[in-house]
Amino acid sequence: MTRKLNEGSEFTIPLKNLLGLVAFTAISVWAYFGIIERLAFIEHEQDLMLIEIEENDDWIDEFKPPAEVQDTIKRVRELELQLAIIKERMNH
């Protein structure tokens, strides 16, 4: 015997099962939105970190020591050369 479903069809489900289905649905929806929220937060943090990394990389690429430091380096190199010359003269 075939039964057709229509607006007047009725079926019964135990209250325990209905409450279980409602609870499962509510927990599933809560977990889904919790996961989506966490993923969005992590993606936002990643975007901020990438911006900061790019800024740091630009700073490193464009870095030039101050003029005083460059001058000191030149003077130290000159002193090293003079010291090498003096050492060689002392050995001969």
Side-chain angles (χ1 to χ4, degrees):
M1 207 191 273
T2 306
R3 294 189 183 209
K4 295 185 178 183
L5 292 176
N6 59 32
E7 291 178 14
S9 297
E10 293 183 19
F11 67 95
T12 59
I13 183 169
L15 185 59
K16 179 180 173 182
N17 291 354
L18 181 62
L19 291 175
L21 288 172
V22 170
F24 174 77
T25 303
I27 291 171
S28 298
V29 169
W30 173 76
Y32 171 79
F33 284 109
I35 292 170
I36 294 300
E37 178 185 11
R38 181 70 178 142
L39 285 174
F41 179 75
I42 290 171
E43 287 175 350
H44 178 68
E45 278 188 334
Q46 181 184 15
D47 291 341
L48 292 177
M49 279 193 254
L50 286 175
I51 290 170
E52 188 172 342
I53 289 170
E54 288 175 6
E55 289 173 355
N56 290 340
D57 188 47
D58 291 342
W59 182 85
I60 290 169
D61 291 342
E62 297 170 1
F63 176 76
K64 291 184 181 177
E68 298 88 14
V69 174
Q70 292 177 357
D71 184 49
T72 303
I73 290 172
K74 287 179 187 176
R75 289 188 301 161
V76 168
R77 286 185 184 156
E78 288 173 9
L79 289 173
E80 288 175 343
L81 291 174
Q82 289 175 2
L83 182 60
I85 292 170
I86 291 171
K87 282 184 180 178
E88 187 165 324
R89 286 184 184 168
M90 289 179 65
N91 288 338
H92 288 333

